[in-house]
Amino acid sequence: MKLFLILTSLFFTYKSNVISQITYYQDVCKCGVTGAGFSTSLGYGSGTFEIFIEPGSQIKKAVLFGIHYGNGSGIFSPTQIQLNSNSILFDSTSVTGLEFIASGNSIEKYISLHARDVTDLISASTNQYNIDIPSQDSLCFPCRFNCFYLYVIYENSSFLMNSSTYISLNDIGDEWIIDFQIDKLNKQKTNIPFGFALYTDRLGLSNDGSYLSFYNSTWQQVGYLAGSDNVNNFWPGAGVKGHFYYQNDVLYGLDDDTPDFVVGGSDGLINVESFVANNSLKWRLQWDHFSNIGQFNIYGGFFLTHSTTCDTFSVTVPNDTTLCYGSTLQLNVSGGQRYEWSSPRGTPQNPAPGLSCANCPNPVFSADSSMFYTVRIWNNDSCSVVRPIKMNVR
């Protein structure tokens, strides 16, 4: 559902969208979660991800996310990112969902979010990962990848308690005021921290930031975001990212982030336990640069983690697949009691275009273009997990 709210001032008109983001990934496990980001703001360079993994754990899932800027729709310059000397290709096959528009920005207009599974490249004994973003031969000016976030789930059944974690990605747009909502959260323990970490870029000087608010009967402002993380101190305007880890009912801050009830400056981590209601969370980002020079503040996504009373359960889903134009393929998912398929291109009447059904474990794929899907898999205790699936059509 979209609700357009027109706010008028003496000189300008602002628009607000109420949307539900893509829940790219959701899980329940005896695990901890950690994440950290890095950006060069406008170009290329090298930096470090500082994360935390409990000793003796095993890596369950690790994803490297990237934001791509461009002035042409669907144009991606293939780029090899180096993560601890491992090459990771970002190109048209790594894009998730749809491109969105950075309002008022005529140069870097089309923004897209990309993801690569890097589970096999992450070691449970390593908490520092070096990233190198190369100079890029763009197909258009100024097309580039330059903002990344490393997200890791680590398991330890003998030491860690049950946690539920979510990756929520922006797939709609970037307006002056933008409202988000995530539903179908798993059951939470009461009076236990609920971690909320941001993934943003291009939040620059103190007069070019954003206010963050959460909803609990009324909108409550929790702070003003601006500047660059400590790991980005050579790149002004590199944005705010929540660096954190969460395990055994405790939220911890990393880098310059603090696990309290407010944000401020480059602190992009907050405990939102008091704002969660009816398994739903609503939040708002408001751009503060009140001029018409263009929109540069980019919101990529959010990472949520909390302790849960849900039971763990195992599911199987197909891997990302490339197939020829005109081909069909049956997708088989198992491990749940019921299933919900969706796509950013979907509608309430047809939530998963290109699939033969939206509520079955084995739909047939027959789209004539590449599609990104998520499947929500429900257990018998009213808890669920979400898995992403990318179908690349040649």
Side-chain angles (χ1 to χ4, degrees):
M1 179 184 71
K2 288 188 176 181
L3 172 65
F4 293 96
L5 174 64
I6 306 301
L7 303 176
T8 57
S9 67
L10 184 60
F11 299 105
F12 303 109
T13 299
Y14 306 100
K15 181 170 62 177
S16 172
N17 290 332
V18 176
I19 62 175
S20 294
Q21 297 181 213
I22 298 174
T23 300
Y24 174 88
Y25 187 90
Q26 179 173 319
D27 212 347
V28 178
C29 51
K30 292 184 178 298
C31 59
V33 179
T34 186
F38 174 77
S39 174
T40 57
S41 181
L42 289 174
Y44 57 91
S46 299
T48 302
F49 294 120
E50 296 282 354
I51 58 176
F52 174 85
I53 300 172
E54 181 66 34
S57 300
Q58 297 81 43
I59 305 303
K60 180 177 185 181
K61 185 75 171 180
V63 184
L64 183 63
F65 292 95
I67 294 178
H68 183 271
Y69 299 88
N71 63 7
S73 178
I75 299 176
F76 308 112
S77 301
T79 301
Q80 293 278 358
I81 303 300
Q82 301 294 316
L83 185 68
N84 274 12
S85 301
N86 295 294
S87 294
I88 304 168
L89 177 64
F90 282 80
D91 59 8
S92 61
T93 65
S94 59
V95 67
T96 65
L98 298 173
E99 292 176 310
F100 59 85
I101 305 298
S103 299
N105 189 344
S106 60
I107 299 176
E108 298 163 340
K109 185 173 183 179
Y110 292 92
I111 312 298
S112 56
L113 298 173
H114 294 246
R116 286 299 192 201
D117 190 306
V118 294
T119 304
D120 294 339
L121 303 181
I122 303 301
S123 169
S125 61
T126 303
N127 287 328
Q128 179 173 303
Y129 288 86
N130 300 318
I131 184 170
D132 182 69
I133 304 170
S135 177
Q136 298 165 46
D137 297 325
S138 296
L139 298 175
C140 67
F141 177 80
C143 300
R144 67 175 70 86
F145 293 92
N146 63 275
C147 178
F148 292 87
Y149 194 98
L150 179 62
Y151 168 93
V152 180
I153 302 174
Y154 52 93
E155 287 186 305
N156 189 324
S157 59
S158 62
F159 178 76
L160 298 175
M161 299 187 297
N162 285 12
S163 294
S164 187
T165 184
Y166 314 77
I167 301 172
S168 189
L169 300 181
N170 180 10
D171 75 312
I172 299 297
D174 219 5
E175 304 291 350
W176 302 104
I177 300 174
I178 190 164
D179 292 355
F180 297 105
Q181 179 172 325
I182 183 170
D183 297 315
K184 301 176 182 177
L185 298 175
N186 286 323
K187 294 178 288 188
Q188 306 103 39
K189 294 181 181 178
T190 58
N191 301 316
I192 298 296
F194 190 121
F196 179 101
L198 292 103
Y199 175 29
T200 77
D201 198 33
R202 306 297 301 279
L203 282 173
L205 304 176
S206 59
N207 64 341
D208 181 20
S210 290
Y211 293 100
L212 178 63
S213 301
F214 288 87
Y215 188 83
N216 186 357
S217 70
T218 60
W219 285 106
Q220 300 180 36
Q221 195 174 104
V222 295
Y224 182 75
L225 301 157
S228 299
D229 296 309
N230 283 344
V231 296
N232 296 118
N233 56 1
F234 293 113
W235 290 274
V240 177
K241 297 156 195 69
H243 302 72
F244 76 101
Y245 72 98
Y246 189 109
Q247 63 181 43
N248 290 346
D249 295 351
V250 183
L251 174 65
Y252 300 88
L254 299 171
D255 190 44
D256 56 358
D257 297 279
T258 55
D260 52 19
F261 300 97
V262 295
V263 297
S266 59
D267 174 12
L269 179 68
I270 184 172
N271 175 9
V272 296
E273 184 269 334
S274 62
F275 296 105
V276 179
N278 300 318
N279 294 323
S280 179
L281 179 68
K282 300 179 183 180
W283 65 95
R284 168 179 290 174
L285 285 161
Q286 179 176 331
W287 190 37
D288 186 43
H289 201 150
F290 285 74
S291 72
N292 57 2
I293 65 170
Q295 171 81 314
F296 295 101
N297 301 29
I298 305 302
Y299 309 107
F302 308 87
F303 304 91
L304 316 174
T305 309
H306 63 86
S307 294
T308 183
T309 58
C310 293
D311 292 330
T312 61
F313 64 105
S314 298
V315 300
T316 59
V317 298
N319 295 324
D320 293 352
T321 303
T322 298
L323 66 165
C324 294
Y325 178 89
S327 300
T328 62
L329 181 68
Q330 187 170 59
L331 307 179
N332 295 295
V333 178
S334 64
Q337 303 298 313
R338 56 190 176 97
Y339 306 86
E340 298 175 0
W341 294 81
S342 61
S343 168
R345 300 185 185 182
T347 65
Q349 296 75 28
N350 184 18
L355 297 183
S356 60
C357 58
N359 300 103
C360 64
N362 53 357
V364 175
F365 173 80
S366 60
D368 58 5
S369 61
S370 297
M371 296 290 291
F372 172 77
Y373 299 104
T374 59
V375 56
R376 182 177 294 275
I377 305 169
W378 293 90
N379 199 9
N380 54 14
D381 59 356
S382 300
C383 298
S384 65
V385 300
V386 174
R387 297 291 186 267
I389 299 172
K390 180 72 182 295
M391 303 298 294
N392 295 300
V393 176
R394 291 184 184 276

